[in-house]
Amino acid sequence: MGTQNGKKVMLSGMRPTGKLHLGNYLGALENWVKLQDEYECFFFIADWHALTTGYEDTSELKSNIIDMVTDYLSAGLDPEKCTIFVQSAVKEHAELHLLFSMITPLSWLYRCPTYKDQLQQMKDRNISTYGFLGYPCLQAADILIYKPEAVPVGEDQLPHVELTREIARRFNYLYGEVFPEPQSVLTKAKVLPGTDGRKMSKSYNNTITLSDDPETVRKKVMSMVTDPARIRKDDPGHPEVCTVFAYHTVLNEEGVAETEAMCRAGTIGCVQCKKNLYSKMAEKLMPIYEKRQELLSRHGYIREVVENGNARAAKTAQKTMAEVRKAMKIDW
Ligand code: TRP
Ligand code: SF4
């Protein structure tokens, strides 16, 4: 169990938030690109999950999904190596979610930390809904239907994977062994601030996105906030309060010590320091940007990738559902 084509299965997903930024890339996608060579990977866009908190306005859902898949492919996910699909296209997730909802005690859902946090944070929306409470049940279905060995996720998703394991145990106990318990693989967080020093977020308009053209990226870097105490080029600086330096820490590992020393000694100006950062950033972003241009010139290609991925994912999902129905004696 947990293997396909002789490889261990891995699965992960993201909500369709639209164009990805550098933080999303470094926090997840860059890691996925590495995993696809070693594992049988399923990567999907969790559009039903987006509905649990944003069900009122669905006007941008489709274009957000296409933008995200475009980012996946530009960043180097290869549809020959991994399966890229859209959750709502594989209806079996919904059936398994329904069945899991029968066996999941309400107390498990109420005590889930993300449930409590988001209810608090999203006071402006009515998310006191059945669907929102059941979010982890849907996530358990997304995961278990592919019987993965492991789920690469950020720290915020650990409680959901833990609940998934509990649901798997409960199912296996009630109906017989169908689901292996997946491990979470914590993706090491590399936290980047936004270009203005606040949290990187689309709503603050302070992100660097994977789809920005090189000139836009350069301008964003050159306008980043630095240590306000540095008025003249040879004023000693304080890297710990500088946004540019936070980026050097993540993107310029070999040069970070020297940058820090030069900043403190006042032997490098902020303009030069930003230029150095831009050249490091361009090393990562240029190939992604170029790949994107190529992809967009191939008319209909992104859709084709998604449709093939949907069909491939459905095959595995259908196989698991046949076992589930049989185990539960609802196989007609
Ligand atoms: N809850 C995840 C998030 O908000 C998205 C997600 C849905 C997911 N289903 C999943 C992640 C299954 C990993 C595995 O980012
Ligand atoms: Fe920031 Fe670099 Fe200027 Fe120091 S020299 S304040 S690290 S931009």
Side-chain angles (χ1 to χ4, degrees):
M1 290 232 212
T3 60
Q4 245 184 53
N5 306 325
K7 287 179 172 174
K8 289 181 177 169
V9 177
M10 279 225 183
L11 161 132
S12 199
M14 285 182 204
R15 293 162 168 245
T17 47
K19 294 192 168 120
L20 295 176
H21 56 60
L22 192 56
N24 302 132
Y25 173 71
L26 297 170
L29 198 48
E30 189 180 36
N31 186 38
W32 292 7
V33 173
K34 290 185 198 134
L35 292 171
Q36 67 178 342
D37 291 315
E38 231 180 293
Y39 298 89
E40 185 67 34
C41 289
F42 292 86
F43 296 121
F44 73 104
I45 316 280
D47 56 341
W48 279 335
H49 279 270
L51 292 180
T52 62
T53 52
Y55 52 82
E56 282 173 352
D57 181 6
T58 58
S59 57
E60 288 179 0
L61 201 53
K62 266 202 183 128
S63 60
N64 282 345
I65 292 170
I66 295 296
D67 283 346
M68 226 158 148
V69 174
T70 310
D71 282 333
Y72 282 6
L73 300 176
S74 307
L77 286 187
D78 177 352
E80 302 287 322
K81 294 182 185 165
C82 64
T83 304
I84 299 166
F85 70 99
V86 178
Q87 180 187 35
S88 65
V90 185
K91 315 295 178 207
E92 286 76 9
H93 290 225
E95 184 183 356
L96 190 56
H97 166 245
L98 173 85
L99 297 173
F100 283 167
S101 78
M102 306 298 171
I103 67 167
T104 306
L106 276 174
S107 59
W108 293 6
L109 299 172
Y110 282 128
R111 73 159 197 238
C112 184
T114 52
Y115 176 69
K116 292 186 260 181
D117 288 355
Q118 294 206 25
L119 267 190
Q120 274 294 321
Q121 280 167 23
M122 298 195 186
K123 286 240 166 72
D124 54 324
R125 300 186 203 170
N126 180 3
I127 53 168
S128 295
T129 57
Y130 174 54
F132 180 64
L133 179 66
Y135 187 113
C137 243
L138 179 56
Q139 187 157 347
D142 298 335
I143 296 173
L144 293 174
I145 210 162
Y146 300 98
K147 300 187 180 179
E149 179 91 14
V151 188
V153 285
E155 197 163 12
D156 61 317
Q157 296 299 313
L158 292 178
H160 294 154
V161 180
E162 194 46 46
L163 240 156
T164 298
R165 294 157 57 82
E166 285 176 79
I167 293 174
R169 275 202 290 279
R170 184 153 165 83
F171 184 98
N172 292 343
Y173 164 77
L174 291 167
Y175 310 113
E177 200 65 38
V178 172
F179 296 113
E181 282 180 39
Q183 303 293 325
S184 16
V185 184
L186 189 60
T187 312
K188 183 167 79 188
K190 297 178 187 161
V191 185
L192 276 182
T195 49
D196 58 0
R198 293 190 287 173
K199 181 175 176 254
M200 191 185 284
S201 157
K202 267 216 286 203
S203 49
Y204 292 156
N205 205 5
N206 63 3
T207 64
I208 291 174
T209 76
L210 297 189
S211 41
D212 284 338
D213 61 71
E215 186 48 24
T216 305
V217 176
R218 200 187 61 79
K219 283 192 185 132
K220 286 182 178 177
V221 170
M222 296 315 287
S223 67
M224 276 183 178
V225 295
T226 62
D227 174 4
R230 296 201 79 197
I231 317 256
R232 285 187 327 203
K233 216 165 91 173
D234 51 3
D235 286 336
H238 309 85
E240 64 280 3
V241 301
C242 175
T243 308
V244 177
F245 188 73
Y247 277 73
H248 272 287
T249 318
V250 171
L251 294 168
N252 182 17
E253 278 167 6
E254 22 354 312
V256 69
E258 197 191 349
T259 303
E260 175 169 8
M262 290 192 298
C263 175
R264 288 197 194 285
T267 53
I268 185 174
C270 291
V271 171
Q272 185 57 46
C273 188
K274 287 174 173 176
K275 284 186 181 158
N276 296 352
L277 172 63
Y278 174 71
S279 91
K280 285 289 160 193
M281 207 180 270
E283 275 173 30
K284 283 211 188 278
L285 290 180
M286 276 301 265
I288 299 177
Y289 180 75
E290 279 163 11
K291 176 83 187 181
R292 187 184 192 89
Q293 302 317 108
E294 184 218 315
L295 290 167
L296 293 177
S297 70
R298 290 157 73 179
H299 186 72
Y301 176 69
I302 305 285
R303 272 205 167 263
E304 199 183 297
V305 167
V306 171
E307 277 159 26
N308 289 337
N310 292 344
R312 221 150 72 193
K315 257 200 191 160
T316 303
Q318 280 159 9
K319 196 161 154 269
T320 305
M321 282 319 294
E323 293 169 36
V324 167
R325 294 183 203 117
K326 191 156 177 277
M328 290 182 77
K329 310 205 177 356
I330 48 170
D331 52 331
W332 292 94

PDB file of all heavy atoms in Angstrom, residues 159-180:
ATOM      1  N   PRO A 159      -2.538  19.858  11.988  1.00  0.00           N
ATOM      2  CA  PRO A 159      -3.737  19.303  12.660  1.00  0.00           C
ATOM      3  C   PRO A 159      -4.669  18.578  11.688  1.00  0.00           C
ATOM      4  O   PRO A 159      -5.322  17.604  12.064  1.00  0.00           O
ATOM      5  CB  PRO A 159      -4.439  20.535  13.242  1.00  0.00           C
ATOM      6  CG  PRO A 159      -3.478  21.656  13.165  1.00  0.00           C
ATOM      7  CD  PRO A 159      -2.426  21.317  12.162  1.00  0.00           C
ATOM      8  N   HIS A 160      -4.727  19.052  10.444  1.00  0.00           N
ATOM      9  CA  HIS A 160      -5.604  18.391   9.468  1.00  0.00           C
ATOM     10  C   HIS A 160      -5.077  17.008   9.101  1.00  0.00           C
ATOM     11  O   HIS A 160      -5.851  16.073   8.898  1.00  0.00           O
ATOM     12  CB  HIS A 160      -5.734  19.244   8.196  1.00  0.00           C
ATOM     13  CG  HIS A 160      -6.449  20.548   8.428  1.00  0.00           C
ATOM     14  ND1 HIS A 160      -6.252  21.656   7.650  1.00  0.00           N
ATOM     15  CD2 HIS A 160      -7.354  20.897   9.367  1.00  0.00           C
ATOM     16  CE1 HIS A 160      -7.011  22.651   8.092  1.00  0.00           C
ATOM     17  NE2 HIS A 160      -7.691  22.205   9.136  1.00  0.00           N
ATOM     18  N   VAL A 161      -3.765  16.895   9.001  1.00  0.00           N
ATOM     19  CA  VAL A 161      -3.208  15.586   8.660  1.00  0.00           C
ATOM     20  C   VAL A 161      -3.385  14.636   9.848  1.00  0.00           C
ATOM     21  O   VAL A 161      -3.686  13.453   9.675  1.00  0.00           O
ATOM     22  CB  VAL A 161      -1.728  15.694   8.206  1.00  0.00           C
ATOM     23  CG1 VAL A 161      -1.173  14.322   7.854  1.00  0.00           C
ATOM     24  CG2 VAL A 161      -1.594  16.628   7.008  1.00  0.00           C
ATOM     25  N   GLU A 162      -3.251  15.170  11.050  1.00  0.00           N
ATOM     26  CA  GLU A 162      -3.459  14.341  12.244  1.00  0.00           C
ATOM     27  C   GLU A 162      -4.905  13.820  12.283  1.00  0.00           C
ATOM     28  O   GLU A 162      -5.161  12.647  12.550  1.00  0.00           O
ATOM     29  CB  GLU A 162      -3.119  15.157  13.503  1.00  0.00           C
ATOM     30  CG  GLU A 162      -2.966  14.335  14.770  1.00  0.00           C
ATOM     31  CD  GLU A 162      -2.107  13.077  14.594  1.00  0.00           C
ATOM     32  OE1 GLU A 162      -1.029  13.172  13.982  1.00  0.00           O
ATOM     33  OE2 GLU A 162      -2.543  11.989  15.065  1.00  0.00           O
ATOM     34  N   LEU A 163      -5.854  14.713  11.992  1.00  0.00           N
ATOM     35  CA  LEU A 163      -7.262  14.288  11.958  1.00  0.00           C
ATOM     36  C   LEU A 163      -7.513  13.246  10.878  1.00  0.00           C
ATOM     37  O   LEU A 163      -8.295  12.308  11.050  1.00  0.00           O
ATOM     38  CB  LEU A 163      -8.142  15.513  11.684  1.00  0.00           C
ATOM     39  CG  LEU A 163      -9.149  15.808  12.771  1.00  0.00           C
ATOM     40  CD1 LEU A 163      -9.556  17.263  12.757  1.00  0.00           C
ATOM     41  CD2 LEU A 163     -10.384  14.941  12.596  1.00  0.00           C
ATOM     42  N   THR A 164      -6.806  13.410   9.764  1.00  0.00           N
ATOM     43  CA  THR A 164      -6.902  12.437   8.673  1.00  0.00           C
ATOM     44  C   THR A 164      -6.486  11.055   9.165  1.00  0.00           C
ATOM     45  O   THR A 164      -7.132  10.039   8.858  1.00  0.00           O
ATOM     46  CB  THR A 164      -5.993  12.883   7.500  1.00  0.00           C
ATOM     47  OG1 THR A 164      -6.453  14.139   7.029  1.00  0.00           O
ATOM     48  CG2 THR A 164      -6.002  11.866   6.369  1.00  0.00           C
ATOM     49  N   ARG A 165      -5.421  11.022   9.942  1.00  0.00           N
ATOM     50  CA  ARG A 165      -4.947   9.740  10.470  1.00  0.00           C
ATOM     51  C   ARG A 165      -5.975   9.128  11.418  1.00  0.00           C
ATOM     52  O   ARG A 165      -6.231   7.928  11.396  1.00  0.00           O
ATOM     53  CB  ARG A 165      -3.606   9.927  11.186  1.00  0.00           C
ATOM     54  CG  ARG A 165      -2.469  10.326  10.244  1.00  0.00           C
ATOM     55  CD  ARG A 165      -1.323  11.030  10.962  1.00  0.00           C
ATOM     56  NE  ARG A 165      -0.775  10.225  12.028  1.00  0.00           N
ATOM     57  CZ  ARG A 165       0.118   9.258  11.848  1.00  0.00           C
ATOM     58  NH1 ARG A 165       0.570   9.020  10.633  1.00  0.00           N
ATOM     59  NH2 ARG A 165       0.557   8.556  12.854  1.00  0.00           N
ATOM     60  N   GLU A 166      -6.597   9.995  12.209  1.00  0.00           N
ATOM     61  CA  GLU A 166      -7.623   9.482  13.138  1.00  0.00           C
ATOM     62  C   GLU A 166      -8.839   8.937  12.391  1.00  0.00           C
ATOM     63  O   GLU A 166      -9.415   7.915  12.765  1.00  0.00           O
ATOM     64  CB  GLU A 166      -8.055  10.592  14.109  1.00  0.00           C
ATOM     65  CG  GLU A 166      -7.016  10.864  15.171  1.00  0.00           C
ATOM     66  CD  GLU A 166      -7.397  12.027  16.068  1.00  0.00           C
ATOM     67  OE1 GLU A 166      -8.216  11.830  16.978  1.00  0.00           O
ATOM     68  OE2 GLU A 166      -6.884  13.139  15.845  1.00  0.00           O
ATOM     69  N   ILE A 167      -9.209   9.626  11.329  1.00  0.00           N
ATOM     70  CA  ILE A 167     -10.355   9.162  10.536  1.00  0.00           C
ATOM     71  C   ILE A 167     -10.012   7.828   9.858  1.00  0.00           C
ATOM     72  O   ILE A 167     -10.832   6.910   9.815  1.00  0.00           O
ATOM     73  CB  ILE A 167     -10.803  10.246   9.517  1.00  0.00           C
ATOM     74  CG1 ILE A 167     -11.385  11.455  10.274  1.00  0.00           C
ATOM     75  CG2 ILE A 167     -11.821   9.689   8.526  1.00  0.00           C
ATOM     76  CD1 ILE A 167     -11.737  12.664   9.406  1.00  0.00           C
ATOM     77  N   ALA A 168      -8.774   7.732   9.359  1.00  0.00           N
ATOM     78  CA  ALA A 168      -8.340   6.464   8.734  1.00  0.00           C
ATOM     79  C   ALA A 168      -8.425   5.320   9.753  1.00  0.00           C
ATOM     80  O   ALA A 168      -8.954   4.243   9.450  1.00  0.00           O
ATOM     81  CB  ALA A 168      -6.912   6.599   8.199  1.00  0.00           C
ATOM     82  N   ARG A 169      -7.923   5.588  10.947  1.00  0.00           N
ATOM     83  CA  ARG A 169      -7.964   4.540  12.000  1.00  0.00           C
ATOM     84  C   ARG A 169      -9.383   4.116  12.308  1.00  0.00           C
ATOM     85  O   ARG A 169      -9.690   2.944  12.454  1.00  0.00           O
ATOM     86  CB  ARG A 169      -7.318   5.074  13.291  1.00  0.00           C
ATOM     87  CG  ARG A 169      -5.815   4.911  13.327  1.00  0.00           C
ATOM     88  CD  ARG A 169      -5.299   4.942  14.755  1.00  0.00           C
ATOM     89  NE  ARG A 169      -5.380   6.254  15.379  1.00  0.00           N
ATOM     90  CZ  ARG A 169      -4.483   7.225  15.185  1.00  0.00           C
ATOM     91  NH1 ARG A 169      -3.438   7.031  14.402  1.00  0.00           N
ATOM     92  NH2 ARG A 169      -4.621   8.397  15.776  1.00  0.00           N
ATOM     93  N   ARG A 170     -10.246   5.106  12.416  1.00  0.00           N
ATOM     94  CA  ARG A 170     -11.628   4.802  12.761  1.00  0.00           C
ATOM     95  C   ARG A 170     -12.319   4.000  11.654  1.00  0.00           C
ATOM     96  O   ARG A 170     -13.051   3.047  11.913  1.00  0.00           O
ATOM     97  CB  ARG A 170     -12.385   6.106  13.040  1.00  0.00           C
ATOM     98  CG  ARG A 170     -13.799   5.904  13.506  1.00  0.00           C
ATOM     99  CD  ARG A 170     -14.237   7.088  14.351  1.00  0.00           C
ATOM    100  NE  ARG A 170     -15.685   7.098  14.522  1.00  0.00           N
ATOM    101  CZ  ARG A 170     -16.317   6.390  15.432  1.00  0.00           C
ATOM    102  NH1 ARG A 170     -15.653   5.597  16.256  1.00  0.00           N
ATOM    103  NH2 ARG A 170     -17.634   6.454  15.528  1.00  0.00           N
ATOM    104  N   PHE A 171     -12.055   4.406  10.423  1.00  0.00           N
ATOM    105  CA  PHE A 171     -12.638   3.679   9.292  1.00  0.00           C
ATOM    106  C   PHE A 171     -12.149   2.228   9.296  1.00  0.00           C
ATOM    107  O   PHE A 171     -12.945   1.280   9.205  1.00  0.00           O
ATOM    108  CB  PHE A 171     -12.267   4.348   7.953  1.00  0.00           C
ATOM    109  CG  PHE A 171     -12.931   3.695   6.768  1.00  0.00           C
ATOM    110  CD1 PHE A 171     -14.091   4.229   6.214  1.00  0.00           C
ATOM    111  CD2 PHE A 171     -12.420   2.514   6.216  1.00  0.00           C
ATOM    112  CE1 PHE A 171     -14.727   3.611   5.133  1.00  0.00           C
ATOM    113  CE2 PHE A 171     -13.051   1.886   5.146  1.00  0.00           C
ATOM    114  CZ  PHE A 171     -14.209   2.442   4.611  1.00  0.00           C
ATOM    115  N   ASN A 172     -10.834   2.061   9.422  1.00  0.00           N
ATOM    116  CA  ASN A 172     -10.251   0.712   9.381  1.00  0.00           C
ATOM    117  C   ASN A 172     -10.789  -0.159  10.521  1.00  0.00           C
ATOM    118  O   ASN A 172     -11.038  -1.353  10.339  1.00  0.00           O
ATOM    119  CB  ASN A 172      -8.723   0.778   9.490  1.00  0.00           C
ATOM    120  CG  ASN A 172      -8.091   1.417   8.253  1.00  0.00           C
ATOM    121  OD1 ASN A 172      -8.724   1.531   7.207  1.00  0.00           O
ATOM    122  ND2 ASN A 172      -6.843   1.838   8.382  1.00  0.00           N
ATOM    123  N   TYR A 173     -10.979   0.444  11.669  1.00  0.00           N
ATOM    124  CA  TYR A 173     -11.495  -0.281  12.829  1.00  0.00           C
ATOM    125  C   TYR A 173     -12.939  -0.743  12.590  1.00  0.00           C
ATOM    126  O   TYR A 173     -13.313  -1.874  12.898  1.00  0.00           O
ATOM    127  CB  TYR A 173     -11.391   0.627  14.059  1.00  0.00           C
ATOM    128  CG  TYR A 173     -12.202   0.180  15.235  1.00  0.00           C
ATOM    129  CD1 TYR A 173     -11.752  -0.881  16.039  1.00  0.00           C
ATOM    130  CD2 TYR A 173     -13.418   0.792  15.544  1.00  0.00           C
ATOM    131  CE1 TYR A 173     -12.496  -1.309  17.131  1.00  0.00           C
ATOM    132  CE2 TYR A 173     -14.169   0.366  16.627  1.00  0.00           C
ATOM    133  CZ  TYR A 173     -13.719  -0.678  17.410  1.00  0.00           C
ATOM    134  OH  TYR A 173     -14.457  -1.099  18.478  1.00  0.00           O
ATOM    135  N   LEU A 174     -13.721   0.137  11.959  1.00  0.00           N
ATOM    136  CA  LEU A 174     -15.135  -0.197  11.757  1.00  0.00           C
ATOM    137  C   LEU A 174     -15.367  -1.173  10.603  1.00  0.00           C
ATOM    138  O   LEU A 174     -16.218  -2.054  10.684  1.00  0.00           O
ATOM    139  CB  LEU A 174     -15.950   1.083  11.478  1.00  0.00           C
ATOM    140  CG  LEU A 174     -16.107   2.064  12.643  1.00  0.00           C
ATOM    141  CD1 LEU A 174     -16.656   3.401  12.152  1.00  0.00           C
ATOM    142  CD2 LEU A 174     -17.027   1.475  13.713  1.00  0.00           C
ATOM    143  N   TYR A 175     -14.610  -1.001   9.514  1.00  0.00           N
ATOM    144  CA  TYR A 175     -14.961  -1.742   8.286  1.00  0.00           C
ATOM    145  C   TYR A 175     -13.850  -2.635   7.738  1.00  0.00           C
ATOM    146  O   TYR A 175     -14.025  -3.255   6.698  1.00  0.00           O
ATOM    147  CB  TYR A 175     -15.368  -0.759   7.180  1.00  0.00           C
ATOM    148  CG  TYR A 175     -16.405   0.252   7.635  1.00  0.00           C
ATOM    149  CD1 TYR A 175     -16.088   1.599   7.745  1.00  0.00           C
ATOM    150  CD2 TYR A 175     -17.702  -0.163   7.969  1.00  0.00           C
ATOM    151  CE1 TYR A 175     -17.026   2.525   8.171  1.00  0.00           C
ATOM    152  CE2 TYR A 175     -18.646   0.759   8.398  1.00  0.00           C
ATOM    153  CZ  TYR A 175     -18.303   2.102   8.506  1.00  0.00           C
ATOM    154  OH  TYR A 175     -19.228   3.002   8.920  1.00  0.00           O
ATOM    155  N   GLY A 176     -12.711  -2.617   8.407  1.00  0.00           N
ATOM    156  CA  GLY A 176     -11.579  -3.405   7.897  1.00  0.00           C
ATOM    157  C   GLY A 176     -10.541  -2.490   7.266  1.00  0.00           C
ATOM    158  O   GLY A 176     -10.837  -1.360   6.870  1.00  0.00           O
ATOM    159  N   GLU A 177      -9.350  -3.029   7.180  1.00  0.00           N
ATOM    160  CA  GLU A 177      -8.170  -2.256   6.773  1.00  0.00           C
ATOM    161  C   GLU A 177      -8.265  -1.803   5.305  1.00  0.00           C
ATOM    162  O   GLU A 177      -8.096  -2.610   4.395  1.00  0.00           O
ATOM    163  CB  GLU A 177      -6.974  -3.183   6.983  1.00  0.00           C
ATOM    164  CG  GLU A 177      -5.609  -2.560   7.104  1.00  0.00           C
ATOM    165  CD  GLU A 177      -5.417  -1.671   8.328  1.00  0.00           C
ATOM    166  OE1 GLU A 177      -5.929  -1.986   9.438  1.00  0.00           O
ATOM    167  OE2 GLU A 177      -4.765  -0.643   8.149  1.00  0.00           O
ATOM    168  N   VAL A 178      -8.535  -0.526   5.083  1.00  0.00           N
ATOM    169  CA  VAL A 178      -8.523   0.002   3.714  1.00  0.00           C
ATOM    170  C   VAL A 178      -7.446   1.086   3.554  1.00  0.00           C
ATOM    171  O   VAL A 178      -6.756   1.150   2.542  1.00  0.00           O
ATOM    172  CB  VAL A 178      -9.913   0.565   3.306  1.00  0.00           C
ATOM    173  CG1 VAL A 178      -9.839   1.285   1.958  1.00  0.00           C
ATOM    174  CG2 VAL A 178     -10.958  -0.558   3.241  1.00  0.00           C
ATOM    175  N   PHE A 179      -7.308   1.920   4.599  1.00  0.00           N
ATOM    176  CA  PHE A 179      -6.445   3.100   4.443  1.00  0.00           C
ATOM    177  C   PHE A 179      -5.163   3.009   5.256  1.00  0.00           C
ATOM    178  O   PHE A 179      -5.216   2.879   6.478  1.00  0.00           O
ATOM    179  CB  PHE A 179      -7.198   4.359   4.888  1.00  0.00           C
ATOM    180  CG  PHE A 179      -8.391   4.663   4.045  1.00  0.00           C
ATOM    181  CD1 PHE A 179      -9.678   4.564   4.572  1.00  0.00           C
ATOM    182  CD2 PHE A 179      -8.237   5.046   2.724  1.00  0.00           C
ATOM    183  CE1 PHE A 179     -10.787   4.851   3.791  1.00  0.00           C
ATOM    184  CE2 PHE A 179      -9.339   5.334   1.935  1.00  0.00           C
ATOM    185  CZ  PHE A 179     -10.620   5.240   2.471  1.00  0.00           C
ATOM    186  N   PRO A 180      -3.998   3.151   4.591  1.00  0.00           N
ATOM    187  CA  PRO A 180      -2.757   3.327   5.361  1.00  0.00           C
ATOM    188  C   PRO A 180      -2.769   4.731   5.985  1.00  0.00           C
ATOM    189  O   PRO A 180      -3.399   5.644   5.434  1.00  0.00           O
ATOM    190  CB  PRO A 180      -1.663   3.219   4.309  1.00  0.00           C
ATOM    191  CG  PRO A 180      -2.309   3.392   2.988  1.00  0.00           C
ATOM    192  CD  PRO A 180      -3.784   3.202   3.145  1.00  0.00           C
TER     193      PRO A 180
END
